[in-house]
Amino acid sequence: MSDIENRLEERYRRSFGRVAGYLPRNRAAVDAWHEDLKQRMAAGAPRQSPGVEALKRLIHSDGVIRMYVTQMIEQVDPPHRHITGIPELLAALEHIVSMAPAYNRDPARQNTFPVSTLFTYMMMTPAGEAIFRNVAFNSAIRVILQEWCRYLDSPESRDVLNEGEYGWLSQPAFEQNKLSEFVIPDRSAPHWGFASFNAYFHREINPEYRPVAAPNDPRVIVSPNDGTVVTWRQDVEPSAQFWLKGQPYSLHDMLQGHYLERFTGGTVFQSFLSGADYHRWRAPVAGRVERVEKVDGLMFSDVESAGVDPTAATYSQGYEASVNTRGLVFIESGDPVIGMVCVIPIGITEISSVSFLVSAGQTVEKGGELGYFSYGGSSMAIVFQRGAIHRFTVPQNTTGNPDNGPPIFVNAQLAVAN
């Protein structure tokens, strides 16, 4: 394997989609997917996409954006340059926003992040790294993803909810996604009663599988989500260089400057959700919701400075907590030790959707539902005030890989307050 291929493989292996199980384990399947997409593009015209049309106008009107988009296509190594120009890129996006991801039982070929797959090689170029941090370009991509989200919210998206070989209701998918733990609306009905692909994705879980730990003990803090431990950090600075190794958290950036004086020197706990995890999130403590806010941020960007460091995925998770689309739910516990807690659901790559089920002024119980992710990648951070945490009762992740961290389960004990 050439030096170029080695670098591509190293970077691909630590990409969010591959680590989370949304992209194929075998990178050759990415190239095969591109060839299949080009065949579908040649076979017929997709529906017209207002979002893609807006991106086209932006690229045409902004010379700097047009330069970067052109360069990121041209900088892809020729064997992997499946997209050869801007018109072809726009046509590919038009096809993607009108189809739901299909299931594949083979993890080497499982590919359910089509936008990430489309951009896989382009994001690994110098121009790609620059353009995916461009605010106007990022906003235009967000509009396209929101359009795709509306499609995945529609009944049309249910064609992949079937029991066939590539269906999300097939026996292998049932076992991989632990559907026995979830609420199935009506297994005898078409599509098992799910109203859309997104309804399947953020499906409810049977309460017996996620009981609330110590519901009457306010000092027991529970996990807001299913997932694996990325890391936790104490004595977090109000402002830090979140893009550098060893400094993954910057409170000012994470919290949009809100309540900074209360959280300075506090603790950040971050976890990572894979495709098979429960994608609703809950309150780690009881209390009053003081503020709810959605921050529109980046979606397809990771930390460059990680280089070939094997812990790069962890550092990118910290970077994404500062710059990605995310929610902020500030809960005043009323406990003098715990004080205020901030729950930060983070959207990564596809859709990057954060939906709230609570609003400011509302009282929540420990384990009460706060919101959910629609289809796409996701991570979760919790910020605690200085001195609130006596100890975490889940192990630290010592692997440097969020996919290999200790598992956590929503409503299970996460930590004990002082």
Side-chain angles (χ1 to χ4, degrees):
M1 189 179 289
S2 68
D3 288 344
I4 292 176
E5 286 297 319
N6 281 330
R7 287 196 297 272
L8 289 174
E9 184 65 19
E10 169 63 30
R11 184 146 181 193
Y12 180 71
R13 284 178 177 273
R14 61 178 172 83
S15 68
F16 177 89
R18 187 186 185 278
V19 172
Y22 292 101
L23 294 181
R25 293 292 178 189
N26 184 348
R27 185 165 53 89
V30 171
D31 295 277
W33 179 91
H34 273 274
E35 294 306 313
D36 179 68
L37 176 63
K38 293 187 80 165
Q39 290 179 16
R40 280 182 281 142
M41 289 165 58
R47 69 171 73 183
Q48 292 295 308
S49 163
V52 175
E53 184 61 30
L55 176 62
K56 179 181 178 180
R57 291 195 299 270
L58 174 68
I59 293 172
H60 177 75
S61 63
D62 190 314
V64 173
I65 289 177
R66 187 167 66 254
M67 174 188 72
Y68 277 129
V69 173
T70 301
Q71 286 179 341
M72 80 171 179
I73 293 170
E74 294 175 347
Q75 288 172 1
V76 173
D77 195 40
H80 306 295
R81 194 183 300 153
H82 306 286
I83 297 296
T84 57
I86 290 173
E88 196 169 37
L89 175 63
L90 296 171
L93 285 168
E94 282 191 324
H95 275 266
I96 288 171
V97 297
S98 59
M99 66 181 190
Y103 173 78
N104 192 315
R105 69 181 65 187
D106 181 359
R109 299 183 59 81
Q110 189 165 300
N111 189 347
T112 57
F113 263 18
V115 182
S116 291
T117 309
L118 177 67
F119 290 139
T120 289
Y121 291 111
M122 289 181 271
M123 286 189 295
M124 297 186 202
T125 66
E129 288 172 340
I131 194 59
F132 281 104
R133 293 193 181 112
N134 179 281
V135 173
F137 182 80
N138 187 75
S139 296
I141 296 297
R142 180 184 298 111
V143 171
I144 294 170
L145 294 181
Q146 289 171 342
E147 186 179 325
W148 189 37
C149 188
R150 288 192 294 273
Y151 174 79
L152 297 180
D153 280 333
S154 74
E156 292 178 88
S157 65
R158 294 183 298 178
D159 60 324
V160 295
L161 300 181
N162 61 68
E163 299 179 49
E165 182 180 359
Y166 296 104
W168 289 96
L169 307 180
S170 64
Q171 190 60 36
F174 189 97
E175 294 172 2
Q176 179 181 341
N177 295 301
K178 303 177 183 177
L179 294 187
S180 60
E181 297 182 0
F182 290 85
V183 176
I184 306 297
D186 183 356
R187 195 161 178 175
S188 65
H191 316 294
W192 291 8
F194 288 108
S196 66
F197 180 82
N198 264 337
Y200 163 83
F201 183 75
H202 50 62
R203 57 195 175 271
E204 300 276 3
I205 202 161
N206 286 308
E208 64 190 280
Y209 289 101
R210 299 294 188 275
V212 179
N216 299 317
D217 186 346
R219 296 293 171 90
V220 171
I221 295 165
V222 300
S223 172
N225 61 288
D226 277 10
T228 57
V229 177
V230 172
T231 189
W232 67 74
R233 291 294 179 94
Q234 297 176 311
D235 301 319
V236 178
E237 299 177 22
S239 182
Q241 294 175 300
F242 56 81
W243 55 90
L244 297 180
K245 179 178 178 178
Q247 292 182 299
Y249 298 114
S250 174
L251 292 174
H252 175 79
D253 298 284
M254 293 175 70
L255 304 176
Q256 288 293 97
H258 301 308
Y259 304 105
L260 195 59
E261 71 286 351
R262 299 191 62 176
F263 289 106
T264 295
T267 299
V268 173
F269 178 94
Q270 190 168 5
S271 58
F272 162 88
L273 288 77
S274 74
D277 285 326
Y278 174 54
H279 276 79
R280 291 175 176 263
W281 23 279
R282 297 172 177 263
V285 297
R288 173 186 166 89
V289 178
E290 295 295 327
R291 185 183 185 94
V292 175
E293 180 179 345
K294 181 181 177 184
V295 180
D296 285 328
L298 301 179
M299 294 163 293
F300 293 90
S301 179
D302 58 18
V303 58
E304 283 181 67
S305 61
V308 295
D309 191 316
T311 64
T314 295
Y315 292 119
S316 278
Q317 291 271 319
Y319 164 84
E320 287 154 356
S322 291
V323 303
N324 271 43
T325 293
R326 58 199 181 278
L328 301 173
V329 182
F330 294 91
I331 302 173
E332 184 64 72
S333 71
D335 184 286
V337 172
I338 297 174
M340 181 176 278
V341 175
C342 186
V343 178
I344 310 178
I346 305 160
I348 302 175
T349 60
E350 251 71 347
I351 303 298
S352 293
S353 172
V354 173
S355 297
F356 301 109
L357 296 173
V358 294
S359 56
Q362 186 173 336
T363 299
V364 293
E365 298 297 322
K366 181 167 66 174
E369 205 164 63
L370 298 179
Y372 59 89
F373 294 108
S374 290
Y375 186 66
S378 43
S379 183
M380 176 69 74
I382 319 170
V383 186
F384 300 96
Q385 291 186 194
R386 177 189 287 273
I389 300 299
H390 172 61
R391 61 186 172 90
F392 285 103
T393 53
V394 294
Q396 174 66 287
N397 181 358
T398 59
T399 69
N401 186 337
D403 191 36
N404 293 333
I408 58 173
F409 298 96
V410 69
N411 289 340
Q413 182 172 309
L414 185 70
V416 176
N418 275 312

